């Protein structure tokens, strides 16, 4: 009998994720990866990485994939809101956009007429600072900044005042050629997918990866070696490495003389107005001391340092023709860092790193740099006209992030790492750290902060910029701050990103003056973005003797019902990132890689008006432009007063920052035939959409290394509009800019600090990097040594800020946080795993649950950042674990130093010193243990809660596919 073969089920082995796909840019972190968004009947079905995109090459993380639930979050706002109850209760009535914009304009118009500085406009991680900064400039207020002041300004300023570029998202290791990578304080939040791809390449090639971090997570977990350093001591560790390299004479002197100011002469005239400045000739060119000139006519003389074919001295003291004494920069470097105080044995205990480990790492760096040098057969011409047949590099690369930046000594620590790189010849050479266009920039970058208003009321420059000398500070005739955040003042002179973390205290205190309106965008400043969260809440709601709020008006824009939304008087509901246009601009936060310049857009993949019945939201950028038109701001209206731009998309295409320079560099010109510079192209956005949402222009092959002194690159960068001139960029081991501030503090020059700041400026404005104990630890130890532990947060790979930790899919990974401590630390303090404990700083006290983890330096405790939520916020369930058991360390962090004299910040840049926190821990009492709830707890906000039960998504797609009845989302 013939047997019949079993009938096989029909299986679609390649099902389509949807019926339509659109490409755009992710917004679930700062990485800005390319994504493909699949739609089914107009609803988002699936998000995947775009394999053609230069940032992520198709790789996508959990956050990016979970963008579906970010878009469909129950916390989305639907309509403009006007406060009806007490500020902070979360009680509003919905209004229409015409009324909302009329109210905002009515509040802002008298301010601009009276004094534009009475508007404080501060934005969070909005990724559109090219617009928001320009808007503030046109309004005329100096009081504008974004999140960088509490995030990364030490990193940016430390690099830009040293290298003309920086770590973070603006440079990268040479993933192809590096043989040795050191990661300093790197978490998994910024540029994460490119770093993952790069680490994979390094692991495959056999390169060594060393992670320097108090906590071993993420990238550190796959490193070949983890150095569990004590927080705030990275600079000291770097100096010990420098000490060992100098002692062993394992440095690249040829590189230093060709590309840095190592041979420039520094005047030695203690007490004089020129002490510490560079010796210059009559034309202003820096001088060096040369042992002889090519023609043999001169022996031992001062000569322009940028001359070629000379043999400059790098050590020794020399007499200038006018009788002054001078020494080369490298002499000062060797003099300082060969000091025994920087020897491994001297710093080991403070850093928590064995002296032999320090010596071994120094040897390994030298071996990788000099014994494994990389040579590429690429001919190139340097900026001085010398032709080279090949490119030689030191295959040692470094990458650093917030772990070294978020300290009160972070600026100098960042500079210390750059000095270490330069001594090895490991900046923009094959195998080393590489610039990403539009970097490098001149040192410092040419744009200074605006401070003078023009006849039309606009500032003479954007409110943020780079200070070149004391004359650029934004201070009054008495040297007092003119900005509400005190940025660019004598207290924090180089605060290139502003100081968002000081705004609310200063606005409440009226220091240096009272403001009328605080306008904020995407900045959760009443919760996880606030130092001193409890007091900040109080300042937002405090009233003066007249019964009125001390911060009279607050306008807030956000897409979600966050903790900060509750403190607004007027709420302007933003779209999600899948409903609007955005420009990821080279004028802002570029997505370039070392071999190409890139920018990108977001565009609406779904229509906001069709996402939920009654929903009426608008992209904040478009709202800002309409508000500017209603106010008649320069550049936003025609001569007849009509709006110049229809919306943000129209602005992206037609606005020109300078002739031919707009927000986007791709497909410029009437037919899209130009790149970087050219007239607006009406079809530009469509060209981006057709190309997957991005534009990319490759750096010529002969211009991809030595960008600071490569004639091919400098000419290309000037043509692209990245730099104003093609002069070489000399890397600065020694900063004359910083020395100018020290001289002012010593009584020299037309602009000098008030007496209360002189010692501070003279101490911390050292032209060579220094190390000092972070302020909180130094000051509390002077008074009370009961805070022996450092406390830091880490950003998890799977979440990003508060707006990621409300995501239903990501909450399945983590829905509450613990305080992690080493088992030995627990034993020392009588704490068992899973105990509830009391954690105390000089500023406050919290109750949290502890868990043991061996991946942390034993004098450090840590937790995940921004997981804890306030009850009622984000429309989570009233008993959501994020609010009941989750917590913030922010309650322990003071916004001012223990002495109370300055902000809890770096004295050079004003960067918030989040990671200086010092704490004590002890087991909580029995009642707290029984309660099993974190403290403090705050009154719930009055936002509507989400529907009870699990938040499901996708069932309707399965039902439709099966031909059955649709299930509820």
């Amino acid at each position: 009998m013939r047997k019949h073969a079993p009938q096989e089920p029909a299986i679609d082995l390649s099902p389509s994720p949807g019926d339509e796909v659109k490409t755009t840019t992710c917004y679930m972190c700062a990485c800005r990866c390319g994504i493909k968004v699949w739609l089914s009947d107009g609803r988002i079905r699936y998000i995947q990485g775009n394999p053609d995109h230069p940032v992520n090459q198709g790789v996508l993380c959990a956050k990016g994939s979970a963008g579906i639930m970010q878009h469909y979050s129950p916390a989305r706002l639907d309509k403009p809101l006007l406060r009806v109850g007490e500020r902070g209760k979360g009680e509003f009535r919905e209004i229409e956009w015409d009324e909302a914009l009329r109210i905002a304009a009515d509040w802002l118009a008298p301010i601009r007429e009276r004094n534009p500085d009475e508007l404080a406009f501060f934005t969070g991680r909005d990724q559109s600072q090219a617009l928001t900064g320009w808007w503030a400039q046109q309004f005329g207020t100096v009081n504008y900044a974004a999140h960088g002041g509490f995030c990364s300004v030490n990193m940016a300023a430390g690099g830009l005042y040293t290298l003309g570029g920086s770590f973070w998202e603006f440079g990268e290791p040479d993933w192809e050629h590096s043989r040795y990578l050191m990661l300093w304080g790197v978490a998994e939040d910024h540029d994460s997918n490119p770093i993952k791809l790069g680490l994979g390449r390094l692991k495959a090639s056999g390169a060594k990866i060393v992670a320097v971090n108090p906590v071993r997570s993420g990238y550190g977990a796959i490193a070949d070696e983890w150095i569990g350093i004590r927080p705030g001591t990275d600079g000291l560790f770097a100096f010990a490495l420098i000490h060992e390299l100098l002692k062993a004479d394992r440095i690249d002197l040829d590189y230093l003389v060709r590309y840095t100011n190592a041979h420039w002469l520094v005047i030695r005239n203690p007490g004089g107005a020129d002490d510490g400045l560079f010796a210059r000739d009559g034309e202003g060119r820096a001088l060096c001391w040369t042992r002889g000139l090519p023609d043999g006519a001169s022996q031992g003389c001062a000569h322009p340092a940028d001359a070629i074919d000379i043999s400059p001295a790098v050590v020794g003291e020399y007499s200038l023709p006018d009788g002054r004494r001078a020494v080369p920069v490298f002499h000062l470097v060797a003099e300082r860092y060969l000091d025994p105080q920087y020897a491994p044995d001297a710093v080991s205990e403070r850093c928590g790193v064995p002296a032999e480990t320090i010596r071994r790492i120094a040897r390994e760096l030298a071996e990788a740099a000099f014994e494994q040098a990389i040579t590429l057969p690429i001919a190139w011409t340097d900026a001085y006209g010398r032709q080279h047949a090949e490119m030689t590099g030191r295959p040692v690369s470094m990458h650093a992030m917030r772990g070294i930046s978020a300290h009160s000594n972070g600026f100098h620590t960042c500079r210390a790492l750059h000095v270490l790189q330069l001594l090895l010849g490991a900046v923009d050479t094959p195998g080393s750290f590489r610039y990403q266009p539009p970097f490098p920039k001149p040192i410092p970058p040419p744009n200074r902060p605006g401070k003078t208003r023009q006849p039309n009321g606009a500032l003479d420059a954007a409110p943020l910029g780079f200070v070149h000398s004391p004359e650029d500070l934004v201070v009054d005739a008495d040297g007092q701050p003119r900005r509400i955040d005190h940025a660019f003042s004598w207290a924090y002179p180089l605060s290139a990103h502003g100081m968002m973390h000081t705004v609310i205290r200063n606005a409440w205190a009226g220091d240096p003056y009272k403001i009328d309106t605080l306008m904020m965008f995407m900045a959760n400043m009443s919760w996880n973005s606030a130092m001193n969260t409890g007091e900040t809440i109080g300042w937002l709601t405090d009233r003066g003797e007249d019964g009125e709020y001390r911060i009279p008006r607050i306008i807030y824009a956000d897409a979600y019902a966050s903790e900060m939304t509750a403190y607004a008087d007027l709420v302007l509901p933003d779209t999600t990132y899948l409903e609007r246009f955005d420009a990821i601009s080279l004028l802002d936060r570029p997505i370039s890689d070392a071999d190409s310049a890139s920018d990108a857009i977001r565009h609406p993949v779904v229509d906001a008006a069709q996402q939920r019945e009654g929903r009426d939201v608008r992209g904040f950028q478009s709202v800002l432009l309409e508000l500017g038109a209603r106010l008649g701001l320069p550049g936003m209206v025609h001569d007849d007063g009509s709006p110049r731009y229809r919306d943000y998309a129209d602005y992206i295409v037609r606005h020109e920052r300078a002739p031919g320079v707009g927000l986007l560099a791709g497909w410029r010109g009437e037919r899209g035939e130009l790149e970087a510079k050219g007239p607006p192209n009406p079809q530009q956005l469509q060209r981006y959409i057709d190309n997957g949402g991005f534009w990319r222009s490759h750096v010529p092959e002969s211009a991809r290394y030595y960008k600071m002194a490569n004639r091919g690159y400098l000419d290309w960068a000037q043509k692209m509009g990245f730099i104003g001139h093609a002069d070489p960029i000399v890397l600065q081991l020694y900063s004359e800019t910083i020395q100018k501030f020290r001289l002012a503090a010593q009584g020299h020059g037309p602009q000098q600090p008030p007496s209360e700041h002189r010692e501070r400026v003279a101490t911390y404005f050292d032209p060579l990097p220094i190390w000092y104990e972070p302020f909180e630890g130094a000051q509390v130890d002077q008074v009370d040594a009961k805070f022996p532990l450092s406390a830091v947060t880490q950003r998890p790979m799977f979440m990003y800020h508060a707006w990621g930790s409300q995501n239903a899919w990501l909450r399945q990974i983590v829905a509450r946080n613990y305080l992690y401590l080493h088992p030995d630390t627990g034993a020392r303090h009588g704490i068992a795993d899973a105990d509830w404990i009391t954690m105390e700083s000089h500023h406050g006290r919290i109750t949290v649950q502890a868990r043991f983890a061996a991946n942390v330096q034993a004098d450090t405790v840590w937790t995940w950042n921004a997981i804890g939520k306030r009850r009622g916020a984000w429309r989570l369930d009233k008993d959501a674990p994020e609010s009941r058991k989750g917590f913030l360390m922010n309650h322990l962090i003071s916004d001012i130093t223990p002495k109370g004299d300055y902000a809890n910040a770096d004295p050079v840049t004003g960067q918030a010193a989040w990671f200086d926190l010092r704490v004590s821990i002890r087991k909580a009492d029995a009642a707290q243990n029984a309660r099993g709830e974190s403290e403090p707890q705050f009154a719930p906000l009055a936002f509507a809660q989400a529907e009870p039960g699990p938040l499901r998504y996708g069932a309707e797609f399965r039902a439709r596919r099966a031909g059955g009845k649709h299930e509820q989302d």
Side-chain angles (χ1 to χ4, degrees):
M1 182 178 177
R2 183 180 176 186
K3 295 184 178 180
H4 294 283
Q7 185 175 359
E8 296 290 341
I11 300 175
D12 184 356
L13 298 179
S14 300
S16 172
D19 49 38
E20 183 183 12
V21 63
K22 297 183 179 181
T23 52
T24 186
T25 304
C26 187
Y27 200 0
M28 294 297 287
C29 78
C31 199
R32 295 155 295 164
C33 296
I35 54 174
K36 300 173 74 172
V37 181
W38 288 86
L39 306 173
S40 182
D41 289 341
R43 291 175 63 79
I44 301 169
R45 181 71 178 89
Y46 181 62
I47 297 177
Q48 66 181 132
N50 179 1
D52 299 322
H53 199 278
V55 169
N56 58 316
Q57 303 166 43
V59 173
L60 200 63
C61 67
K63 300 186 297 293
S65 299
I68 295 174
M69 301 312 288
Q70 201 77 0
H71 174 72
Y72 290 116
S73 167
R76 286 179 301 173
L77 299 172
D78 287 329
K79 297 284 288 290
L81 302 173
L82 186 65
R83 179 175 58 80
V84 295
E86 291 293 308
R87 188 185 286 171
K89 299 293 186 183
E91 297 171 351
F92 298 93
R93 69 175 176 89
E94 292 187 345
I95 59 176
E96 302 302 322
W97 273 104
D98 281 346
E99 182 179 2
L101 290 166
R102 177 182 56 77
I103 291 171
D106 287 347
W107 289 354
L108 297 180
I111 297 174
R112 191 171 197 272
E113 183 70 24
R114 183 174 64 238
N115 176 10
D117 293 342
E118 290 181 20
L119 169 65
F121 178 29
F122 286 74
T123 72
R125 181 163 290 288
D126 60 297
Q127 298 184 7
S128 57
Q129 293 163 38
L131 168 68
T132 55
W134 176 78
W135 193 96
Q137 179 184 352
Q138 303 310 103
F139 189 88
T141 180
V142 298
N143 291 318
Y144 163 83
H147 73 286
F150 63 63
C151 182
S152 61
V153 70
N154 273 338
M155 193 71 64
L160 287 166
Y161 281 87
T162 309
L163 306 180
S166 72
F167 296 124
W168 212 250
E169 299 150 18
F170 312 127
E172 63 179 307
D174 188 339
W175 300 113
E176 183 177 358
H177 300 111
S178 186
R179 302 301 303 156
Y180 200 99
L181 170 66
M182 291 191 76
L183 297 170
W184 298 76
V186 178
E188 287 75 48
D189 49 350
H190 286 69
D191 215 27
S192 59
N193 285 330
I195 291 176
K196 293 172 198 168
L197 288 165
L199 291 176
R201 295 178 70 178
L202 291 185
K203 296 291 282 188
S205 70
K208 181 170 182 178
I209 301 171
V210 178
V212 182
N213 199 315
V215 179
R216 186 173 196 176
S217 66
Y219 308 143
I222 66 166
D224 299 285
E225 183 171 359
W226 170 51
I227 296 178
I229 197 166
R230 286 195 174 97
T233 66
D234 304 78
L236 203 55
F237 178 34
F239 289 151
L241 296 174
I242 290 170
H243 176 93
E244 287 295 289
L245 292 171
L246 289 169
K247 191 172 71 170
D249 197 23
R250 299 286 271 170
I251 52 177
D252 192 338
L253 273 177
D254 184 62
Y255 179 96
L256 291 171
V257 170
R258 284 179 181 265
Y259 307 115
T260 81
N261 63 1
H263 56 302
W264 291 15
L265 290 173
V266 178
I267 296 167
R268 272 191 166 170
N269 182 20
D274 56 357
D275 183 48
L277 300 181
F278 293 129
R280 299 180 184 274
D281 65 13
E283 298 179 14
R285 292 180 298 178
L287 297 174
C288 69
W289 189 266
T290 179
R291 298 185 180 89
L293 298 178
D295 59 9
S298 300
Q299 294 291 327
C301 64
H303 195 74
D306 59 357
I308 62 174
D309 298 328
I310 59 174
S311 179
V314 294
V315 294
E317 184 173 81
Y318 303 95
S319 179
L320 300 173
D322 59 11
R324 294 179 298 171
R325 307 295 292 174
V327 297
V329 163
F330 184 80
H331 182 106
L332 298 176
V333 169
E335 193 173 64
R336 172 165 295 181
Y337 304 119
L338 280 173
D339 189 295
Q341 69 174 309
Y342 296 121
D345 290 308
V347 308
S348 173
E349 183 176 356
R350 181 66 195 87
C351 294
V353 181
E356 181 47 45
T357 298
I358 298 173
R359 285 189 281 267
R360 175 176 53 78
I361 295 294
R363 290 194 301 270
E364 290 175 357
L365 288 170
E367 180 182 357
F370 300 110
E371 309 306 325
Q372 302 180 49
I374 295 287
T375 300
L376 301 181
I378 301 172
W380 65 289
T381 302
D382 68 31
Y384 306 98
R386 292 173 294 209
Q387 295 184 347
H388 306 264
E390 57 191 17
M391 292 179 166
T392 300
R394 309 298 179 191
V396 171
S397 54
M398 297 186 186
H399 194 65
M401 290 176 63
R402 189 182 294 105
I404 66 165
S405 179
H407 293 282
S408 53
N409 60 15
F411 173 79
H412 281 289
T413 294
C414 293
R415 289 207 71 222
L417 296 191
H418 295 319
V419 169
L420 175 58
Q421 292 173 286
L422 292 172
L423 292 178
L424 290 167
V427 171
D428 216 57
T429 69
S432 71
F433 165 86
R434 302 181 68 193
Y435 297 109
Q436 297 173 339
F439 301 99
K441 298 282 189 179
I443 303 173
N447 52 307
R448 294 165 166 86
K451 57 181 180 178
T452 302
R453 275 189 279 275
Q454 300 170 332
N456 64 4
L459 285 178
D460 57 344
L464 299 181
F466 296 89
V467 167
H468 291 221
S469 69
E471 289 73 21
D472 295 330
L473 294 178
V474 186
V475 294
D476 65 18
D478 297 322
Q480 299 303 316
R482 282 184 51 205
R483 288 177 52 111
I484 193 69
D485 60 354
H486 294 194
F488 305 118
S489 71
W490 285 105
Y492 324 97
L494 305 188
S495 43
H497 290 170
M499 296 177 62
M500 192 166 182
H501 45 294
T502 66
V503 168
I504 292 175
R505 172 189 280 272
N506 291 351
W508 165 80
D511 178 14
Y513 45 76
K514 291 185 177 298
I515 65 165
D516 181 282
T517 298
L518 174 62
M519 184 161 70
M520 307 190 94
F521 173 44
M522 278 190 67
N524 203 15
M525 297 303 295
S526 73
W527 197 246
N528 61 279
S529 290
M531 292 173 141
N532 190 1
T533 303
E535 278 196 276
T536 300
I537 289 171
W539 297 328
L540 290 168
T541 57
D542 192 28
R543 296 178 184 269
E545 293 180 359
D546 59 1
E548 299 297 324
Y549 288 116
R550 294 183 64 164
I551 302 176
R553 298 184 178 96
I554 299 176
I555 301 173
Y556 185 59
D558 204 326
Y560 305 102
S562 68
E563 286 88 354
M564 184 62 202
T565 303
Y567 290 88
D569 303 308
L570 177 65
V571 178
L572 305 176
D574 191 20
T575 62
T576 72
Y577 71 101
L578 297 174
E579 300 170 310
R580 68 161 177 259
F581 278 98
D582 271 336
I584 294 89
S585 172
L586 284 161
L587 301 179
D588 197 345
R589 300 175 67 99
I591 57 167
S592 305
D593 57 72
D595 293 331
S596 62
S598 300
D599 61 16
I601 67 166
R602 295 187 186 94
H603 66 101
V605 299
V606 291
D607 184 347
Q610 298 178 4
Q611 296 306 293
R612 185 156 63 191
E613 186 176 352
R615 188 161 182 259
D616 187 8
V617 298
R618 300 182 184 180
F620 177 66
Q621 296 88 343
S622 293
V623 170
L624 203 59
L625 288 165
E626 182 170 349
L627 189 55
R630 288 182 180 231
L631 295 169
L633 298 186
M636 299 185 211
V637 291
H638 294 292
D639 291 342
D640 63 1
S642 60
R644 182 177 294 273
Y645 302 108
R646 181 183 65 254
D647 53 19
Y648 187 41
D650 189 37
Y651 173 89
I652 291 171
V653 171
R654 294 199 297 113
H655 176 74
E656 292 181 274
R657 193 56 52 91
V661 177
L663 265 69
L664 295 175
W667 297 286
R668 301 197 66 82
E670 293 183 3
R671 298 179 303 279
E673 73 280 12
L674 302 174
E675 66 176 7
K677 296 168 71 174
N681 169 17
Q683 298 301 313
Q684 185 181 40
L685 292 178
Q686 188 59 50
R687 295 294 296 270
Y688 272 82
I689 292 170
D690 294 343
N691 196 58
F694 67 92
W695 162 86
R696 188 183 197 187
S697 180
H698 291 282
V699 178
E701 184 182 21
S702 62
R704 293 180 182 176
Y705 293 96
Y706 297 96
K707 294 184 179 78
M708 65 283 186
N710 185 317
R711 173 54 53 209
Y713 178 80
L714 293 167
D715 288 343
W716 180 82
Q718 183 182 32
K719 182 192 75 172
M720 299 289 281
F722 300 157
I723 53 179
H725 55 75
D727 294 343
I729 297 165
V730 180
L731 311 184
Q732 304 288 297
L733 285 165
Y734 178 100
S735 174
E736 185 181 60
T737 298
I738 294 176
Q739 177 64 12
K740 291 176 182 177
F741 284 87
R742 171 171 280 185
L743 288 172
Q746 293 170 349
H748 301 292
Q751 300 287 338
Q752 298 177 22
S755 58
E756 64 268 24
H757 299 310
R758 285 182 183 266
E759 182 181 357
R760 174 181 169 96
V761 174
T763 300
Y764 299 111
F765 275 73
D766 194 305
L768 287 175
I770 59 175
W771 185 85
Y772 48 90
E773 182 74 27
F775 292 157
E776 179 164 328
Q779 293 180 17
V780 298
D781 283 351
Q782 289 173 5
V783 178
D784 191 342
K786 72 175 184 179
F787 303 110
L789 301 174
S790 295
V792 298
T793 59
Q794 289 279 105
R795 188 70 53 74
M797 273 191 175
F798 46 84
M799 286 181 183
Y800 186 71
H801 290 289
W803 33 282
S805 52
Q806 54 108 5
N807 185 292
W809 287 356
L810 300 178
R811 292 178 66 213
Q812 295 180 55
I813 302 173
V814 164
R816 54 81 53 96
N817 56 325
Y818 298 89
L819 183 74
Y820 295 103
L821 58 152
H822 196 281
D824 293 347
T825 308
R828 290 202 314 267
H829 292 84
I831 294 169
D833 188 34
D835 273 352
W836 285 86
I837 67 172
T838 295
M839 184 177 178
E840 188 172 359
S841 71
H842 79 92
H843 175 71
R845 180 186 298 116
I846 61 177
T847 299
V848 301
Q849 193 172 17
R851 295 305 302 262
F852 287 170
N855 66 335
V856 58
Q857 191 270 336
D859 296 319
T860 304
V861 296
W862 71 280
T863 192
W864 294 123
N865 179 61
I867 303 295
K869 297 283 188 289
R870 183 169 172 181
R871 291 180 193 261
W874 304 96
R875 293 190 174 138
L876 299 178
D877 184 84
K878 63 181 178 61
D879 291 323
E882 287 88 348
S883 56
R884 195 163 51 85
K885 294 180 181 291
F887 65 93
L888 295 179
M889 276 192 189
N890 307 52
H891 301 299
L892 299 176
I893 303 173
S894 174
D895 64 302
I896 57 176
T897 60
K899 287 183 177 179
D901 50 356
Y902 289 97
N904 184 9
D906 189 290
V908 180
T909 67
Q911 157 106 39
W914 296 102
F915 293 165
D916 283 0
L917 181 62
R918 293 283 290 275
V919 300
S920 63
I921 57 175
R922 58 179 172 81
K923 188 171 181 178
D925 61 35
Q928 290 171 316
N929 264 291
R931 191 158 49 246
E933 188 171 271
S934 63
E935 295 179 359
Q937 291 285 332
F938 293 81
L941 300 174
F943 294 128
Q945 294 184 20
E947 294 295 323
L951 179 63
R952 305 179 65 207
Y953 185 76
E956 67 172 56
F957 299 117
R958 292 194 300 273
R960 187 182 303 121
R961 190 166 59 246
K965 183 179 178 181
H966 288 198
E967 297 181 44
Q968 195 69 24
D969 281 356

